[in-house]
Every structure is written in C-alpha cells, then in structure tokens.
Amino acid sequence: MRGRRRRDPRETQTPDDVFAEMLLAARELLAVRSPLDAELMVSDMLGAWWGRRLRGGDVEQILGEGLVDYAAKAGTPAALTLLISVAYLGTARQAAKAEGAALALMESDVARPRWADRVGTVKPAGCYVSRDIYGDQDTVVCTFAYNGEDTHALVVVVDYNMRGMARDAWVSSQVDKLLEQARLEAAVNPMLRFEEIEPQQARALMEFAMKATRDSLSRDRRNAPRLVSDGYSAYHAFARSRIKALPPGRKRPAPPHSEAPYSRDRRAMLAAEFLASDAAENLSDPSAASRCADHIIDYGCDQDLGRPLRVSPVKCETFLLDWLPRMVMLRPAEQEAMPHALAAWVRFAGPRTGLPEQGIRATLDAVWEATARFTEAYRDPATFGLDPALVERLLPDGDLSALARRAFAFPLLQGVHGSIILDTLNPADEGDRRILLEIDHADERDRPDFDEHLAWHEEIAARLWEGDPPQMWEAAQRLLDLGHERHEVLHLLIEIAERMGDHPDELAAALADIADIPDETSP
C-alpha cells in the first residue's frame, strides 16, 4: 500500500507568505551594529532557496526578485535595510532592482541604520591557500576589512576529487588565529602546504570552483545535499559578493599536477608506457591489466581535470568504490585485476608527480583497504540474473550506468516473435532497433499514423540509449515512481519532445520540470 505523503508546511506557503516571514526576520537587521553581521544575515536568508528548482521558472527570479518587489512595496525601515543588503549580495538582476527600490525609499526619508552606508565597502587585505600534497583539496582564505575595521576572512574549500567544485564555505572574524593555525599545521605536517597567493589568482580559483558547484548541482539535483556542506548555501551569496571585491585579470590557476590535455593517442601511449614499466611487471594478466589501465587513465583525464598521473588515497577510493561500480562494466578477469593494476599505477605515477614515499605508501594502503569493499560494491550485471550475452548487447560500450535506461527502451530482446528470433537482433543497430520497436508496438499497428508514431518512439529510444539529454531518463524514472506504466511514460516523453521541437535546451528544461514533480506518495 502506498499512502499520501505528509506535506511539509512550507510547501503550502505562497511566495508572499515566505516573503512576509523574511521581512519579519529582517527587523533584526535594525539592531545589528556592523555591516558584516547584516550581510551574513541576509546571505543566510538568500540561501534558503539556493540550489532549489521551481517548476515554471528560475528560482532566483521568482523568489529572489519577488522578495525585492515585496520589500519595495512594504516600504518599512526593515525592508530598506534588506534592500540595501540585497543590492550588494544578490544576483545582478536582484541587485539592480534592489538598488533602485532602496534609492526610492531613501528619497521618501525611510529611516535606515548607520551601518547601511558601509555595506559592501570592503577591501581585500590578503589571500592564502592551504593545499595537501596529493592535490585533493585547496582551502582558500581571503581576508577583508571595512576601512581597516571589522576584519574578517572568507574560507572556501575546493575539492578536486569532485571536479574542482566548492564544497564548503564559511566566515571567520578571528583572522590572525585562523592564519596562524594554518601556518602551524603546514609546519608540522609534511603533507600540507600553506602559501600566500595573488588576489587575482584567488578570485579566478574561487570563481571556477563556485561555477563547478553550480554545474554539478544542475547535473545531479537529487544528490545535491551530499555534494556540499550543510552551511554552503547560507554563505553562498556572501562568498559571491566577496569574490567580486577581489581584482580580476587572471585565468584559473591550473590544479596541482595538471598537464596539457590528453588526446586519445596520448592516453594510449601513457598506457603502453605503464604496462612496460617495472611497476606493472608482476601483473599476471596483461590483457586485463591493459583494459584496467585504460579505465584508470580515462578516469583521471575525464573526471579529475585532466590529471591521470595524480594519485591519492581519496582519489583511488572514489575510483574503486564509486565511479567504477556506477559507470563501467568489468569482466570477471578485469574485476580480479583492477586492484592490482591500480596499486601498480600508484607505484608508477606517484614518483612522476613528485609524491613523497610517505604519500605513496598511504595511497597503496588505501587501495588494499578498499579492495574487499570493491568486490562487494562492484555490481556485475550477471549477479542480477541477467544473461551475459544480453548485457553485451545492451552495453557494447561497457557503460554500466546505461543498463537500466537501455533495458527500459528495449524490453523485448529475448525469445521468438513469429519467425523473428529476438536474441539475434542488435538494439545498437538502427535497422534491428526499428524491428524491436515494431514488435514492442504491434498492438498499435492499426493507428492511421503508425509510421509517424513509431518514428517518435525511435527518437525517444535513441535518446534513452545515448542518455541525451540526461534529464529524459530522470523524467522517465520520476513518472514510473509516480505509478505510470512504461508505455504511458514513453508517450508522455514523446509529447514533450514533440512540443519542444528542435530546441535541446528547452527540451532539457521541460524534462527537468517533470523530474521535479513533488511526490504525493510515500512507501
């Protein structure tokens, strides 16, 4: 039995209800004594909807700009202080609207606190970075002050195991203590480095990291809560504004151990060099080791900002226990060989990037500790009761993450239909694909528009096969979760694709809206 889900009371609120609560909370702004406290409070308010998605529009426009309009109409001192802060902390559109509304209220002699004139008048004092020798993470520290007063530090943590995204941010007023602690940690820990960097370099690094966070959340909204810290949303607007206070003019600094882009030929040469090295001489199955090396190199190039030679305990664990089980179908021999090949790769790559022996040993320890869990975490499709030959037909490219959506697109792959042996048809082949879809829709042959309708099914099946756009499979899963039958889901996808026409961005957005439909049920 599936019952109705209990609604969060906030889901029944209108935007005006939310704005009224925020304006009530904004009264506290009248009591604070420093612009720093006010900016942090408003940043926390704006973070209430950061990273969320609303059906029918952009959340920053509907809620962010809506809050500005609501405050402008309220015309109270609390509303004015809120508008002054949003003019500095908001998006470009929010800031422009808030500034205009604040000026209008000030011309009407609405009272404002003395600190209001100092909002945003910060100057950078110094920028620093603390980084581990593996290249896993940078902690960027930028200090600011209001005309020499209220000195504070913005701290942003950049995670290179997550494509260089910003995963945490906070603010500290104990600047001297923070910097001294970072220096002491680097002095006693040979695996850490702490150094001062140019403000332009810090800005470029943090701008790239925050953009990487936005991109990651847009790709994986379901897992958004675990991608960033609990406090990141509260400091997001503040961090964005402080970054703009730093001087521009530098390209993003290359992450540690990065090199020129790896072409397909260069990847093959690196694999050959590894297999011929002393580090790989004890690998007993050269064929399996070669395929394992290809996966290791591809992961470093495609998922680690073009750094196949960078190794670390965290990177190796993420590769073994997260990426491989989700993305790659390994044959049994490759599953057996992978931990040994990865350990050999650590011994091969570590010295080439200058990783000290202590770091190499720690990384090897992490590989061996993860090996038992890798055996459990790696899900061979054969363990699902699927015929290996069937899996080969669905995954000719070895992309394990595609298994579910391809099986959804082509459920009839075994048995006999009339004189056709389904086991001989290849869903990756355009001609065989049409035959499979004709059999799947045999009960619709009497439709006058059958050929046109089948062409749309071919379009949807091709998109599901390729995962293009990824929002299509997300929408299909959501509709299935809501109780729709498979064929009904396909027809809904066709309806959306037909309505959007040749506009890929609009198609992706429409499908994303479907994927975000609130669930009315619970187990």
Side-chain angles (χ1 to χ4, degrees):
M1 291 287 291
R2 292 170 66 91
R4 291 185 62 83
R5 176 181 65 113
R6 287 187 178 180
R7 281 186 174 273
D8 187 319
R10 292 172 296 179
E11 296 178 9
T12 63
Q13 290 182 314
T14 67
D16 280 357
D17 293 333
V18 176
F19 301 152
E21 289 182 4
M22 297 182 79
L23 198 57
L24 184 63
R27 292 180 182 179
E28 297 182 25
L29 294 170
L30 299 171
V32 302
R33 296 186 176 184
S34 76
L36 176 60
D37 290 337
E39 290 173 25
L40 289 172
M41 287 175 62
V42 175
S43 179
D44 192 13
M45 289 184 185
L46 298 179
W49 55 70
W50 178 84
R52 292 177 54 189
R53 182 180 178 85
L54 292 181
R55 295 189 64 196
D58 176 69
V59 67
E60 294 292 353
Q61 181 177 354
I62 295 174
L63 295 183
E65 295 177 34
L67 174 62
V68 172
D69 293 337
Y70 189 91
K73 292 178 183 178
T76 62
L80 176 56
T81 57
L82 179 60
L83 289 170
I84 291 171
S85 300
V86 174
Y88 176 62
L89 295 167
T91 65
R93 286 173 57 97
Q94 292 167 8
K97 294 188 71 172
E99 183 177 7
L103 290 173
L105 293 183
M106 285 188 285
E107 290 175 358
S108 300
D109 294 326
V110 176
R112 67 185 189 275
R114 287 187 297 177
W115 57 257
D117 292 333
R118 298 171 60 204
V119 168
T121 62
V122 295
K123 301 294 182 184
C127 296
Y128 311 84
V129 63
S130 176
R131 55 173 46 115
D132 64 86
I133 202 167
Y134 295 111
D136 281 331
Q137 180 174 288
D138 282 349
T139 301
V140 185
V141 181
C142 295
T143 62
F144 302 87
Y146 300 85
N147 297 322
E149 299 179 354
D150 290 328
T151 303
H152 55 281
L154 168 68
V155 184
V156 175
V157 178
V158 181
D159 189 340
Y160 291 110
N161 288 306
M162 295 294 291
R163 298 189 177 188
M165 64 180 282
R167 298 196 68 182
D168 200 2
W170 68 90
V171 174
S172 174
S173 59
Q174 298 181 343
V175 175
D176 292 340
K177 182 178 180 180
L178 177 69
L179 295 177
E180 182 61 23
Q181 182 178 355
R183 292 189 182 98
L184 287 175
E185 287 179 352
V188 300
N189 187 347
M191 307 304 287
L192 289 177
R193 301 286 185 270
F194 181 75
E195 59 188 7
E196 187 169 6
I197 58 176
E198 294 181 350
Q200 296 94 329
Q201 187 179 20
R203 174 170 177 161
L205 174 56
M206 290 190 291
E207 282 182 334
F208 175 87
M210 292 186 75
K211 181 181 183 300
T213 301
R214 291 195 304 272
D215 293 344
S216 294
L217 293 181
S218 66
R219 288 191 301 267
D220 194 8
R221 288 189 305 279
R222 292 185 177 184
N223 291 319
R226 71 179 183 87
L227 293 178
V228 297
S229 70
D230 292 340
Y232 183 84
S233 61
Y235 291 102
H236 176 264
F238 184 92
R240 181 178 57 201
S241 65
R242 286 299 186 268
I243 290 172
K244 291 179 181 177
L246 296 170
R250 283 291 185 91
K251 294 182 179 179
R252 176 182 67 89
H257 313 309
S258 63
E259 301 182 38
Y262 276 78
S263 64
R264 182 54 55 186
D265 288 344
R266 190 181 179 199
R267 297 185 193 195
M269 290 177 60
L270 181 59
E273 186 177 353
F274 162 65
L275 293 170
S277 69
D278 292 342
E281 65 178 354
N282 292 325
L283 297 177
S284 58
D285 187 337
S287 178
S290 176
R291 289 190 291 273
C292 290
D294 290 340
H295 293 311
I296 294 169
I297 294 170
D298 286 344
Y299 177 77
C301 292
D302 300 334
Q303 305 296 320
D304 191 28
L305 303 174
R307 300 182 295 173
L309 291 171
R310 186 183 79 85
V311 293
S312 78
V314 175
K315 179 180 176 180
C316 289
E317 286 181 2
T318 303
F319 171 71
L320 274 180
L321 303 180
D322 181 61
W323 188 77
L324 272 176
R326 289 188 298 108
M327 302 302 295
V328 180
M329 182 182 69
L330 296 177
R331 296 178 175 85
E334 296 162 16
Q335 293 181 47
E336 178 69 26
M338 180 58 77
H340 304 280
L342 183 57
W345 181 265
V346 171
R347 290 189 289 266
F348 167 77
R352 296 179 57 151
T353 61
L355 187 64
E357 185 61 31
Q358 178 183 351
I360 294 174
R361 289 198 304 270
T363 306
L364 288 171
D365 288 344
V367 172
W368 298 127
E369 288 176 7
T371 297
R373 286 181 289 159
F374 168 70
T375 304
E376 298 174 1
Y378 191 87
R379 295 182 289 274
D380 181 353
T383 64
F384 301 158
L386 297 178
D387 179 9
L390 174 61
V391 172
E392 285 286 341
R393 290 159 67 202
L394 286 170
L395 305 179
D397 52 3
D399 182 2
L400 185 59
S401 66
L403 180 61
R405 56 181 159 82
R406 290 177 181 175
F408 173 78
F410 298 99
L412 302 177
L413 290 172
Q414 294 178 304
V416 178
H417 181 82
S419 61
I420 300 174
I421 302 175
L422 300 181
D423 301 67
T424 64
L425 298 179
N426 178 11
D429 178 81
E430 187 174 337
D432 286 359
R433 178 177 292 175
R434 183 176 180 84
I435 296 172
L436 288 167
L437 291 173
E438 286 178 346
I439 295 172
D440 190 24
H441 298 86
D443 58 347
E444 296 185 73
R445 282 190 171 278
D446 293 336
R447 291 179 58 137
D449 62 343
F450 178 74
D451 289 338
E452 180 183 357
H453 185 66
L454 189 66
W456 273 111
H457 275 286
E458 288 184 89
E459 167 81 8
I460 298 301
R463 288 186 174 278
L464 289 169
W465 183 273
E466 297 295 337
D468 178 29
Q471 292 87 351
M472 180 164 285
W473 178 231
E474 293 175 5
Q477 293 177 90
R478 194 75 177 106
L479 291 167
L480 289 169
D481 289 343
L482 292 173
H484 294 280
E485 298 293 337
R486 172 182 171 272
H487 213 62
E488 184 182 3
V489 171
L490 291 171
H491 284 180
L492 288 169
L493 297 179
I494 289 173
E495 179 183 332
I496 295 171
E498 192 172 7
R499 187 171 71 249
M500 294 300 106
D502 191 21
H503 298 90
D505 292 341
E506 294 182 12
L507 174 61
L511 291 167
D513 283 342
I514 291 293
D516 285 340
I517 291 174
D519 190 355
E520 298 293 338
T521 60
S522 61

Coordinates of all heavy atoms in Angstrom, one line a residue, residues 47 50-52 156-159 162 164-169 209-218 220-236:
G47 N 20.1 32.2 1.0 CA 20.5 30.8 0.9 C 19.3 29.9 1.1 O 19.5 28.6 0.9
W50 N 18.7 28.6 -2.3 CA 19.8 28.3 -3.2 C 19.9 26.8 -3.5 O 19.7 26.0 -2.7 CB 21.1 28.7 -2.5 CG 22.3 28.4 -3.4 CD1 22.8 29.1 -4.4 CD2 23.1 27.2 -3.3 NE1 23.9 28.5 -4.9 CE2 24.1 27.3 -4.3 CE3 23.0 26.0 -2.6 CZ2 25.0 26.3 -4.6 CZ3 24.0 25.0 -2.8 CH2 24.9 25.2 -3.8
G51 N 20.1 26.6 -4.8 CA 20.2 25.2 -5.3 C 18.9 24.5 -5.5 O 18.9 23.4 -6.0
R52 N 17.8 25.2 -5.2 CA 16.5 24.5 -5.4 C 16.0 24.8 -6.8 O 16.5 25.7 -7.5 CB 15.4 25.1 -4.4 CG 15.7 24.6 -3.0 CD 14.6 25.3 -2.0 NE 13.3 25.0 -2.5 CZ 12.2 25.6 -1.9 NH1 12.4 26.5 -1.0 NH2 11.0 25.3 -2.4
V156 N 36.9 29.2 1.6 CA 36.3 28.4 0.6 C 37.1 27.1 0.4 O 38.3 27.2 0.1 CB 36.1 29.1 -0.8 CG1 35.5 28.2 -1.8 CG2 35.2 30.3 -0.6
V157 N 36.4 25.9 0.5 CA 37.1 24.6 0.3 C 36.8 24.1 -1.1 O 35.7 24.0 -1.5 CB 36.6 23.6 1.4 CG1 37.3 22.3 1.1 CG2 36.9 24.1 2.8
V158 N 37.9 23.9 -1.9 CA 37.8 23.4 -3.2 C 38.2 21.9 -3.3 O 39.3 21.6 -2.9 CB 38.7 24.2 -4.2 CG1 38.5 23.8 -5.6 CG2 38.4 25.7 -4.1
D159 N 37.3 21.1 -3.8 CA 37.5 19.6 -3.8 C 37.8 19.2 -5.2 O 37.0 19.2 -6.1 CB 36.3 18.9 -3.3 CG 36.5 17.4 -3.1 OD1 37.4 16.9 -3.6 OD2 35.7 16.8 -2.3
M162 N 36.1 16.2 -6.8 CA 34.7 16.5 -7.3 C 34.8 17.6 -8.4 O 34.1 18.5 -8.4 CB 33.8 17.0 -6.2 CG 33.5 15.9 -5.1 SD 32.6 14.5 -5.7 CE 31.0 15.3 -6.0
G164 N 36.8 19.9 -9.0 CA 37.2 21.3 -8.6 C 36.1 22.1 -8.1 O 36.2 23.4 -8.1
M165 N 35.0 21.5 -7.5 CA 33.9 22.3 -7.1 C 34.1 22.8 -5.6 O 34.9 22.2 -4.9 CB 32.6 21.5 -7.1 CG 32.6 20.3 -6.2 SD 31.0 19.3 -6.4 CE 29.9 20.4 -5.4
A166 N 33.5 23.9 -5.3 CA 33.5 24.4 -4.0 C 32.5 23.6 -3.2 O 31.3 23.6 -3.5 CB 33.1 25.9 -4.0
R167 N 32.9 23.0 -2.1 CA 32.1 22.1 -1.3 C 31.7 22.7 0.1 O 30.8 22.2 0.7 CB 32.7 20.8 -1.1 CG 32.9 20.0 -2.4 CD 33.2 18.6 -2.2 NE 32.0 17.9 -1.7 CZ 32.0 16.6 -1.4 NH1 33.1 15.9 -1.5 NH2 30.9 16.0 -1.0
D168 N 32.5 23.7 0.5 CA 32.2 24.3 1.8 C 32.7 25.8 1.8 O 33.5 26.2 1.0 CB 32.9 23.5 2.9 CG 32.3 23.8 4.3 OD1 31.3 24.5 4.4 OD2 32.9 23.2 5.2
A169 N 32.0 26.6 2.6 CA 32.4 28.0 2.8 C 32.0 28.5 4.1 O 30.9 28.0 4.6 CB 31.8 28.8 1.6
A209 N 35.6 27.4 -9.0 CA 35.1 26.4 -8.0 C 33.6 26.6 -7.8 O 32.8 25.6 -7.8 CB 35.8 26.5 -6.7
M210 N 33.1 27.8 -7.7 CA 31.7 28.0 -7.5 C 30.9 27.7 -8.8 O 29.7 27.2 -8.7 CB 31.4 29.5 -7.0 CG 32.0 29.7 -5.6 SD 31.6 31.4 -5.0 CE 29.9 31.1 -4.5
K211 N 31.4 28.0 -9.9 CA 30.8 27.6 -11.2 C 30.7 26.1 -11.3 O 29.7 25.5 -11.7 CB 31.5 28.1 -12.4 CG 30.8 27.8 -13.7 CD 31.6 28.3 -14.9 CE 30.9 28.0 -16.2 NZ 30.7 26.6 -16.4
A212 N 31.8 25.4 -10.9 CA 31.8 23.9 -10.9 C 30.7 23.4 -10.0 O 30.1 22.3 -10.2 CB 33.2 23.4 -10.5
T213 N 30.5 24.0 -8.8 CA 29.4 23.6 -7.9 C 28.1 23.8 -8.6 O 27.2 22.9 -8.5 CB 29.5 24.4 -6.6 OG1 30.7 24.3 -6.0 CG2 28.4 24.0 -5.7
R214 N 27.8 24.9 -9.2 CA 26.5 25.1 -9.9 C 26.3 24.0 -11.0 O 25.2 23.5 -11.1 CB 26.5 26.5 -10.5 CG 26.4 27.7 -9.6 CD 26.0 28.9 -10.3 NE 26.9 29.3 -11.4 CZ 28.0 30.0 -11.3 NH1 28.4 30.4 -10.1 NH2 28.7 30.3 -12.4
D215 N 27.4 23.8 -11.7 CA 27.2 22.8 -12.8 C 27.0 21.4 -12.2 O 26.1 20.6 -12.8 CB 28.5 22.7 -13.6 CG 28.7 24.0 -14.4 OD1 27.8 24.8 -14.6 OD2 29.9 24.3 -14.9
S216 N 27.6 21.0 -11.1 CA 27.4 19.7 -10.5 C 26.0 19.6 -10.0 O 25.4 18.5 -10.1 CB 28.4 19.5 -9.4 OG 29.8 19.4 -9.9
L217 N 25.5 20.6 -9.4 CA 24.2 20.5 -8.8 C 23.1 20.5 -9.9 O 22.1 19.8 -9.8 CB 23.9 21.8 -7.9 CG 24.7 21.8 -6.6 CD1 24.3 23.1 -5.8 CD2 24.5 20.6 -5.8
S218 N 23.4 21.2 -11.0 CA 22.4 21.1 -12.1 C 22.4 19.7 -12.8 O 21.3 19.3 -13.3 CB 22.8 22.1 -13.2 OG 24.0 21.8 -13.8
D220 N 23.1 16.9 -11.0 CA 22.7 15.9 -10.0 C 22.0 16.5 -8.9 O 22.4 16.5 -7.7 CB 24.0 15.2 -9.5 CG 23.8 13.9 -8.7 OD1 22.6 13.5 -8.7 OD2 24.7 13.4 -8.1
R221 N 20.8 17.0 -9.2 CA 20.0 17.7 -8.1 C 19.5 16.8 -7.0 O 19.4 17.1 -5.9 CB 18.8 18.4 -8.8 CG 19.1 19.6 -9.6 CD 17.9 20.3 -10.0 NE 16.9 19.5 -10.6 CZ 17.0 19.2 -11.9 NH1 18.0 19.7 -12.7 NH2 16.1 18.4 -12.5
R222 N 19.3 15.5 -7.4 CA 18.8 14.5 -6.4 C 19.9 14.4 -5.2 O 19.5 14.1 -4.1 CB 18.5 13.2 -7.0 CG 17.3 13.2 -7.9 CD 17.0 11.9 -8.4 NE 15.8 11.9 -9.3 CZ 15.2 10.8 -9.8 NH1 15.8 9.6 -9.5 NH2 14.2 10.9 -10.5
N223 N 21.2 14.4 -5.6 CA 22.2 14.2 -4.6 C 22.8 15.5 -4.1 O 23.9 15.5 -3.5 CB 23.3 13.3 -5.1 CG 22.8 11.9 -5.4 OD1 22.1 11.4 -4.5 ND2 23.2 11.3 -6.5
A224 N 22.1 16.7 -4.4 CA 22.7 18.0 -4.0 C 23.0 18.1 -2.6 O 24.1 18.6 -2.2 CB 21.7 19.1 -4.5
P225 N 22.2 17.6 -1.6 CA 22.5 17.8 -0.2 C 23.9 17.2 0.2 O 24.5 17.7 1.1 CB 21.4 17.1 0.5 CG 20.2 17.1 -0.5 CD 20.9 16.9 -1.8
R226 N 24.3 16.1 -0.5 CA 25.6 15.5 -0.1 C 26.7 16.0 -0.9 O 27.9 15.7 -0.6 CB 25.5 14.0 -0.2 CG 25.5 13.4 -1.6 CD 25.4 11.9 -1.7 NE 25.5 11.4 -3.0 CZ 26.6 11.1 -3.7 NH1 27.7 11.4 -3.1 NH2 26.6 10.6 -4.9
L227 N 26.5 16.9 -1.9 CA 27.6 17.4 -2.7 C 28.3 18.6 -2.0 O 29.4 18.8 -2.2 CB 27.1 17.8 -4.0 CG 26.6 16.7 -5.0 CD1 26.1 17.3 -6.3 CD2 27.7 15.7 -5.3
V228 N 27.5 19.3 -1.2 CA 28.1 20.5 -0.5 C 27.8 20.3 1.0 O 26.9 19.6 1.4 CB 27.5 21.8 -1.0 CG1 27.9 22.0 -2.5 CG2 26.0 21.8 -0.9
S229 N 28.5 21.1 1.8 CA 28.3 21.1 3.3 C 26.9 21.7 3.6 O 26.3 22.4 2.8 CB 29.4 21.9 4.0 OG 29.2 23.3 3.7
D230 N 26.5 21.5 4.8 CA 25.2 22.0 5.3 C 25.2 23.5 5.2 O 24.1 24.1 5.0 CB 24.9 21.5 6.7 CG 24.6 20.0 6.7 OD1 24.3 19.4 5.7 OD2 24.7 19.4 7.8
G231 N 26.3 24.1 5.5 CA 26.4 25.6 5.6 C 26.7 26.3 4.3 O 26.6 27.6 4.3
Y232 N 26.9 25.6 3.2 CA 27.4 26.3 2.0 C 26.3 27.2 1.5 O 26.6 28.3 1.1 CB 27.7 25.2 0.9 CG 28.2 25.8 -0.4 CD1 29.5 26.2 -0.5 CD2 27.3 26.1 -1.4 CE1 30.0 26.7 -1.7 CE2 27.8 26.6 -2.6 CZ 29.1 27.0 -2.7 OH 29.6 27.5 -3.9
S233 N 25.1 26.8 1.5 CA 24.0 27.7 0.9 C 23.9 29.0 1.7 O 23.6 30.1 1.1 CB 22.7 27.0 1.0 OG 22.3 26.6 2.3
A234 N 24.1 29.0 3.0 CA 24.0 30.2 3.8 C 25.1 31.2 3.5 O 24.9 32.4 3.6 CB 24.0 29.8 5.3
Y235 N 26.2 30.7 3.1 CA 27.4 31.6 2.8 C 27.5 31.9 1.3 O 28.4 32.6 0.9 CB 28.7 31.1 3.4 CG 28.7 31.1 4.9 CD1 28.5 29.9 5.6 CD2 28.9 32.3 5.6 CE1 28.5 29.9 7.0 CE2 28.9 32.3 7.0 CZ 28.7 31.1 7.6 OH 28.7 31.1 9.0
H236 N 26.7 31.3 0.5 CA 26.9 31.3 -1.0 C 26.9 32.8 -1.5 O 27.7 33.3 -2.2 CB 25.9 30.5 -1.7 CG 25.9 30.6 -3.2 ND1 25.2 31.5 -3.9 CD2 26.7 30.0 -4.1 CE1 25.5 31.3 -5.2 NE2 26.4 30.4 -5.3

